[in-house]
Amino acid sequence: MGTLASRELELIRSQFAFSLRDRIVTNNAASTQPPLAVLELLRDLSETYENVHRGQSDASIRTTEMFEASFDTIAAWINAPSRRTLSMHRSTTEAINAVMYSLLADFRDGDNVVTTLMEHNSDYVPWHAMCREILPRFGRHVEVRLARFDHESGELDLAHLAELVDARTKLVCCTGGSNFLGTKPPLDQVRAIADAGGYVQPDGRVGALLLVDAAQRFASSRVDVQEMEADFVAFSFHKLLAPFGVGVLYAREDLRETLPPFLYGGDMIAEGQVFPDRVEYNDLPWKFSAGTPNILGVIASAQTLRLIVDLVGADPTRAWFRTDDPLEPGAVDAAMAIVAGHAASLTRQAMEGLSTIAGLRIHGASVGEDRTPLVAFTVEGRSPFAIAHALNAQGVESRAGCHCATLAHHDLGLEPAASCRVSFTVYNTPEEVDRVVAAVRRAVDAPHDFSSAGTPSTSADRTTTPSGRATAVAPSRFGRV
Ligand SMILES: Cc1ncc(COP(=O)(O)O)c(C=O)c1O
């Protein structure tokens, strides 16, 4: 895995507006910060943009080209066979709901869905709602089953998963990486268990469908959907440097051909093929693109991927940002190896530092495991919320709560169902990790210093920074300013 020298890191950080403010951003598992070059791109696009597939102007044609090319970039990034396998959504959550609504009518009375106690609520609540609230209204009873995890190691209990999957398991849903425990379940084994169940799908295929919630995995490592052999993979870009608002669902092309869309309306129908008694759908991928999409968000997200290759210096021979050149797998591999290696090294450092604090318990996968780059912890007798406020008072942006991994917090018996979490990405530094560990130590050792927690008590009150300051950032190396 690649690493980043401090000079490279400085250069990377100079491309982010937040780095000029006294912010230690360690809530990256929720959302990352956007690079200046992407914000500049959005500003430039705002002068020339138009709707896609809905106009004959040069502006509309060019915007359509960029929008469609974005699908190719995203497909290349995850090694999907083509853009035909992709649909764009608002978030990972919406992408998973899209699977639920597309499969809804296919579930038969007596079927079941198997998911895990490690899931984000986005990969549990839709299945709960489908089984408990939606399908019963149609007289169909489908069960949702939850596989356990090991409370010490955070590992998915594969034996329990295998017990739960049977010939009526239509779908297995599994996280690609836990946003609380850090664990990355062995997806090849999960795939094998899903196949072994023996469910007969409507197209005659035998085995459960596999949905992977790759929200965290995508943000911190190379995701190769073909290698994963998943039927559905969901993720979102706001966890990998892009602005908010775009999630992706990859689905096997033959499923895309046969499954009904999640949303119905304009642009998802074949040109002119709407009649009082009959509607024909558009070709893939547009069958799954009803209504005006988040055009700028999709273009910016795809361009952010290209920028990552440039930012981390993964391909010194050329610049990828602001081009539509076909992305080479080697460039993606190299870029994400650097991102993953850097984040893993910071995570290791944080875990080693935090584990020396008396009474502090780190949840989930241990140091050295291939884990998502986050550390969630609780401290005996201390509120995680008070710790997070105390960290904020010291300039460290963490997150306390259940991180939407509510089932896992309950399963561990945490009362309240909460932990404090710090999480890292490509722009974090080893010095920041040292400051995080020192801040946690102070918050634990001297909690009374932060008893008015919630309002910053140090001179570094970040909110007073002049709002225009971000414009003072060094001109972007990446594209026209
Ligand atoms: C594992 C996991 N799944 C799903 C989500 C939901 O992602 P989104 O906010 O894009 O819906 C998150 C967000 O934290 C996550 O960590």
Side-chain angles (χ1 to χ4, degrees):
M1 283 206 186
T3 49
L4 289 168
S6 60
R7 224 169 49 79
E8 291 166 330
L9 254 179
E10 267 316 300
L11 191 57
I12 289 172
R13 286 173 70 80
S14 74
Q15 305 303 319
F16 291 83
F18 84 91
S19 71
L20 271 190
R21 298 168 181 249
D22 188 19
R23 295 180 65 187
I24 299 182
V25 175
T26 56
N27 192 16
N28 298 293
S31 288
T32 47
Q33 301 289 314
L36 282 165
V38 173
L39 301 179
E40 288 156 8
L41 171 69
L42 281 171
R43 196 194 56 205
D44 290 350
L45 288 173
S46 72
E47 294 172 13
T48 57
Y49 84 80
E50 239 283 28
N51 208 321
V52 297
H53 303 153
R54 291 162 175 85
Q56 285 64 43
S57 65
D58 286 350
S60 176
I61 291 165
R62 179 61 193 135
T63 308
T64 299
E65 283 168 1
M66 285 192 284
F67 178 71
E68 294 195 355
S70 302
F71 277 63
D72 297 333
T73 298
I74 297 163
W77 192 269
I78 59 171
N79 194 28
S82 82
R83 63 162 79 155
R84 293 167 64 80
T85 58
L86 303 181
S87 53
M88 300 296 143
H89 300 274
R90 283 187 306 145
S91 56
T92 303
T93 303
E94 190 178 281
I96 294 173
N97 274 269
V99 177
M100 192 267 276
Y101 282 110
S102 286
L103 288 178
L104 194 62
D106 268 3
F107 277 94
R108 296 188 295 244
D109 198 43
D111 283 351
N112 65 71
V113 181
V114 178
T115 182
T116 85
L117 283 166
M118 298 162 62
E119 300 309 304
H120 188 283
N121 290 335
S122 318
D123 200 24
Y124 169 63
V125 179
W127 309 116
H128 169 91
M130 183 186 84
C131 294
R132 298 288 182 104
E133 292 170 16
I134 303 174
L135 288 177
R137 294 185 185 195
F138 299 95
R140 269 175 290 156
H141 297 278
V142 172
E143 191 188 352
V144 59
R145 299 176 177 173
L146 290 163
R148 292 188 294 257
F149 63 89
D150 184 281
H151 283 195
E152 285 309 311
S153 68
E155 276 170 28
L156 179 62
D157 184 339
L158 292 167
H160 188 224
L161 181 76
E163 265 173 47
L164 297 180
V165 173
D166 61 22
R168 297 306 304 270
T169 306
K170 180 174 180 62
L171 178 69
V172 171
C173 303
C174 186
T175 185
S178 162
N179 71 332
F180 164 47
L181 303 165
T183 329
K184 289 183 174 173
L187 294 174
D188 52 343
Q189 294 184 53
V190 175
R191 172 81 265 177
I193 291 168
D195 286 342
Y199 187 92
V200 182
Q201 301 288 348
D203 63 2
R205 270 183 180 243
V206 177
L209 295 167
L210 174 63
L211 162 66
V212 175
D213 170 0
Q216 295 296 334
R217 201 175 176 113
F218 172 78
S220 56
S221 57
R222 171 80 146 116
V223 164
D224 179 329
V225 292
Q226 297 193 64
E227 190 183 289
M228 225 176 231
E229 289 187 71
D231 302 293
F232 303 101
V233 181
F235 58 91
S236 37
F237 291 110
H238 66 99
K239 295 178 192 295
L240 186 56
L241 308 187
F244 299 114
V246 183
V248 176
L249 178 67
Y250 157 84
R252 252 182 32 224
E253 188 171 335
D254 58 311
L255 289 170
R256 288 256 178 231
E257 295 280 8
T258 53
L259 283 177
F262 155 54
L263 292 173
Y264 296 83
D267 207 32
M268 54 77 71
I269 43 95
E271 187 68 33
Q273 298 305 304
V274 177
F275 307 96
D277 60 341
R278 173 169 68 84
V279 170
E280 278 176 36
Y281 299 138
N282 207 341
D283 198 8
L284 293 174
W286 318 121
K287 171 183 167 189
F288 289 89
S289 182
T292 298
N294 181 354
I295 300 164
L296 294 190
V298 171
I299 295 172
S301 297
Q303 287 294 335
T304 301
L305 300 179
R306 294 172 171 277
L307 181 67
I308 290 168
V309 182
D310 297 347
L311 269 179
V312 302
D315 182 1
T317 64
R318 62 193 295 187
W320 292 94
F321 183 56
R322 288 198 182 228
T323 75
D324 287 339
D325 302 343
L327 256 185
E328 285 158 16
V332 183
D333 285 342
M336 284 316 282
I338 293 169
V339 173
H342 179 66
S345 142
L346 297 177
T347 308
R348 205 163 34 247
Q349 183 191 342
M351 290 178 79
E352 283 166 2
L354 291 171
S355 61
T356 63
I357 298 174
L360 185 147
R361 175 178 176 201
I362 293 174
H363 297 284
S366 52
V367 185
E369 294 295 316
D370 179 19
R371 54 163 19 252
T372 51
L374 56 92
V375 190
F377 58 90
T378 44
V379 180
E380 187 67 32
R382 298 285 159 77
S383 153
F385 297 95
I387 293 175
H389 283 301
L391 293 182
N392 183 54
Q394 299 174 76
V396 175
E397 299 177 20
S398 67
R399 175 181 180 188
C402 67
H403 324 294
C404 299
T406 319
L407 290 171
H409 280 75
H410 286 314
D411 199 52
L412 285 173
L414 293 172
E415 186 53 53
S419 56
C420 186
R421 183 183 77 184
V422 288
S423 47
F424 309 103
T425 188
V426 67
Y427 47 61
N428 290 116
T429 67
E431 295 72 30
E432 285 183 322
V433 175
D434 285 342
R435 286 177 64 186
V436 168
V437 173
V440 175
R441 194 182 302 282
R442 238 175 276 130
V444 171
D445 288 350
H448 43 276
D449 287 357
F450 307 98
S451 51
S452 63
T455 42
S457 60
T458 67
S459 57
D461 181 348
R462 295 157 311 287
T463 57
T464 59
T465 311
S467 60
R469 204 165 153 197
T471 56
V473 170
S476 171
R477 278 194 309 146
F478 304 100
R480 188 163 61 85
V481 178

